[in-house]
Structures are given as structure tokens and as C-alpha cells.
Amino acid sequence: MTPTRQASVRLTQFAHGGGCACKIPPGELEEVVSGLGAPLAGGDTPLLVGLATGDDAAVAALPEHPGTALVCTADFFTPVVDDPYDWGRIAAANALSDVYAMGGHPLLAVNLLAWPRDRLAFDLAREVLRGGLDVATEAGCHIGGGHSVDDPEPKYGMAVTGLADPARLLRNDAGRPGLPLSLTKPLGLGVLNNRHKATGERFEQAIATMTALNRDASVAALAAGATCATDVTGFGLLGHLHKLARASGVTAVLDTAAVPYLDGAREAVRDGYVSGGTRRNLEWVAPHTDFGDTDTDTRLLLADAQTSGGLLVAGEVPGAPVVGELVPPGAHSIVLR
């Protein structure tokens, strides 16, 4: 078979899904990893954040450097857009986001690449890697090589190591009643990406959002004194908000009218461009959510599987809309108003 060249390829057609919508459903994932997060007996490096709360990255203390903690994460996915360079940029921004979501800054990353070498030419892979390198360079993060495999489906991402102040982490279990909720990027990435996959339409507003680093939002959250945050990716706003509220022992009240959306997102839902991942997200959070009179399209957008979405911060972040608040725990972890 002759590998497809760049001039005629649509990368999204080589994948069964796209972006963070390919994540294993959250309920299934939690069942699989249950009990696998036991601490290392006698370890010299205490684990500050591990598997217990499903946070964005693992964080380990460095006893020989009391003011520094190590932040580690990995993230990769199938093509979310057809342009290889853009896909590389999006995947890199998404992987780096986990470090920012913990209040850290990325230091070193390695590439993770799966490539169908008999179907897609390697000049495409080079463009993917170039996109990742450019975003990592923007973030001030070194790229130190990586790992590749021959795979029937293209996948790309990064394993990232960063540093943080252990006394100033952003954790998903540090939310407290009375704190407002801020969202630093609009929703709708999933449905626009799904429309792109189906039709080939290009949505510049979605690409600009996905390639934007969460660095400034993380710095602003820390400067405002925030201690609780998560990034909004494959489990949608409702999924990540449920995890935050559950870990923090609070209820999150969401003001649906205050949530920002990308241009074209509602039209994409109306026209049926909703991924299976989004529907699974909504099914997972439904038992834990008081939807009130929220309409079906809005529910789907709130559960929309985002790729390289923004930060959800328990606190006010300058320039970001306040979309709700945390209150004492009630019958549901999320209440929509």
C-alpha cells in the first residue's frame, strides 16, 4: 500500500474518534483503576497527589528541595483536526495543560507517537511533531525525544514533567463552600471537532482555543490565591465538575446562562454533531446532577467532550467569567440553575 501524502490526506478519517472524546468512559475507567493507587511502602519521595481523587497529574514531593514538587502527566489521542501541524499543536497544549492545572510549570516533555507507516507518509508525522515542538517552545518546555510505535491508527501526545510549589498547588479536592467557579475557555470544542470530522469544515475559533496554553490562566489563578482547579477535557465540564465537587465534599451550583460557548457550538448540537463520548459523559453524571429545567441541547454542551479546554477554578480569575459557586454538600454534586 502506498502511504497517503499530505496534499490529499484527512487525518480525522484514519481514526475511529477524535481528540479527548476518545477517552475511556469515566465510570469504566474508575472501576478499572480502583485499588491500584496504593502508596509505595518506604518511599523516599512522598506522593502528594496520586490516583485517589482522579486529579490532572501526579505530584511528588522532593524532600531534598522543600520548596519544589515534581508534576508528572501523559496525554495523547487520535487526530482531532485534519491538519497535521495543528493536531500537533493541539495535542501538545492539551498535555501541557495538566501541569498548569496543578499550578505547575512544564520543564521537560517526551513525544508519544503511534503511526500507521504503511498508510500515512512520515512527512505528515514530521508536521505533527513540529507542531508539538512549537507549542512546547512557546511554553518554555524542553522536548527530549520520545517513543514511537507502528500502529493501525495515528495517535500523538506527550509525557510531561513539571515543577510546582508544594504549598501552592491547584488540586481538585481543595474546593470549599462559598468559592465562586471561573471557567477560562468557552465550551463547544467537541461538537465543532465532530462537525469538522464529518464535513471537513474548518473552525478557526476552535483551533485558536485548543492551541492556547493554559499557562496565563494558571498563573492568574495562583496570584488570586486559588488552591482548587482542574482542566476541562474529555469528561466535559459536568464530568470534571462532578469529580471536583466529589473530591472536595461540596455541591457545585452552575449558572447555565453564564457559561460561554464558541460560535457555532449550539448549531453543531442542533445539527446532530454530538460524539458518543459526550453522550457517555452525560449518562455518567446524570445520577449526580439536578438538571432542573435545563434543555437537552444545553445538557449536551455542558457534557461536551473538550480537547485542550480551559481551567475550571474555584475562585475568581481576572478576565474569566464566573459560572457558578461551591456550596455545602447536598443531595447532588451538581445543581444546574
Side-chain angles (χ1 to χ4, degrees):
M1 180 182 297
T2 301
T4 304
R5 309 300 295 184
Q6 186 165 342
S8 59
V9 71
R10 286 199 61 207
L11 282 175
T12 56
Q13 305 309 297
F14 287 80
H16 74 284
C20 290
C22 289
K23 277 189 173 182
I24 293 174
E28 293 180 26
L29 183 61
E30 288 186 348
E31 184 176 346
V32 167
V33 302
S34 177
L36 298 180
L40 179 66
D44 293 329
T45 305
L47 191 64
L48 301 179
V49 180
L51 190 60
T53 63
D55 217 325
D56 296 294
V59 182
L62 296 176
E64 65 275 24
H65 301 286
T68 305
L70 201 64
V71 184
C72 295
T73 185
D75 210 311
F76 63 97
F77 47 68
T78 54
V80 68
V81 293
D82 289 326
D83 184 274
Y85 178 72
D86 285 340
W87 175 32
R89 293 195 298 148
I90 292 165
N94 183 75
L96 294 165
S97 178
D98 284 340
V99 175
Y100 295 131
M102 302 304 300
H105 61 273
L107 177 67
L108 173 67
V110 291
N111 291 307
L112 304 173
L113 179 70
W115 203 256
R117 49 189 294 274
D118 61 340
R119 301 173 64 203
L120 285 173
F122 263 127
D123 61 343
L124 293 166
R126 179 180 175 80
E127 282 300 289
V128 175
L129 294 170
R130 186 171 70 89
L133 175 61
D134 282 355
V135 165
T137 299
E138 179 187 351
C141 179
H142 299 288
I143 299 290
H147 184 66
S148 62
V149 296
D150 189 348
D151 191 284
E153 192 173 51
K155 304 174 183 73
Y156 175 64
M158 291 178 173
V160 187
T161 300
L163 300 176
D165 182 344
R168 301 182 68 229
L169 293 175
L170 297 174
R171 305 171 56 124
N172 70 356
D173 63 353
R176 299 293 179 263
L179 290 174
L181 290 167
S182 300
L183 181 64
T184 67
K185 287 185 183 180
L187 302 183
L189 294 164
V191 290
L192 290 178
N193 288 339
N194 214 33
R195 186 165 203 153
H196 170 69
K197 177 178 171 65
T199 68
E201 296 173 79
R202 182 178 169 89
F203 299 99
E204 298 295 344
Q205 71 275 30
I207 293 171
T209 298
M210 290 186 288
T211 55
L213 293 172
N214 280 327
R215 173 184 55 200
D216 293 348
S218 178
V219 170
L222 289 171
T227 60
C228 177
T230 187
D231 66 349
V232 180
T233 55
F235 301 150
L237 175 60
L238 291 183
H240 290 284
L241 183 56
H242 166 59
K243 291 177 67 176
L244 184 153
R246 182 182 62 182
S248 297
V250 297
T251 287
V253 178
L254 195 65
D255 179 1
T256 58
V259 176
Y261 299 101
L262 289 165
D263 290 343
R266 283 200 173 272
E267 291 79 2
V269 173
R270 178 200 64 199
D271 295 340
Y273 296 103
V274 179
S275 70
T278 291
R279 296 189 186 279
R280 290 189 293 270
N281 289 341
L282 189 57
E283 180 181 1
W284 181 58
V285 300
H288 313 288
T289 304
D290 176 357
F291 289 104
D293 60 358
T294 307
D295 63 87
T296 300
D297 284 2
T298 299
R299 296 184 191 189
L300 287 167
L301 280 170
L302 294 173
D304 188 38
Q306 306 298 281
T307 296
S308 193
L311 298 187
L312 176 66
V313 180
E316 291 196 44
V317 178
V322 172
V323 297
E325 64 175 331
L326 301 179
V327 301
H332 297 87
S333 64
I334 301 173
V335 176
L336 304 187
R337 291 283 187 257

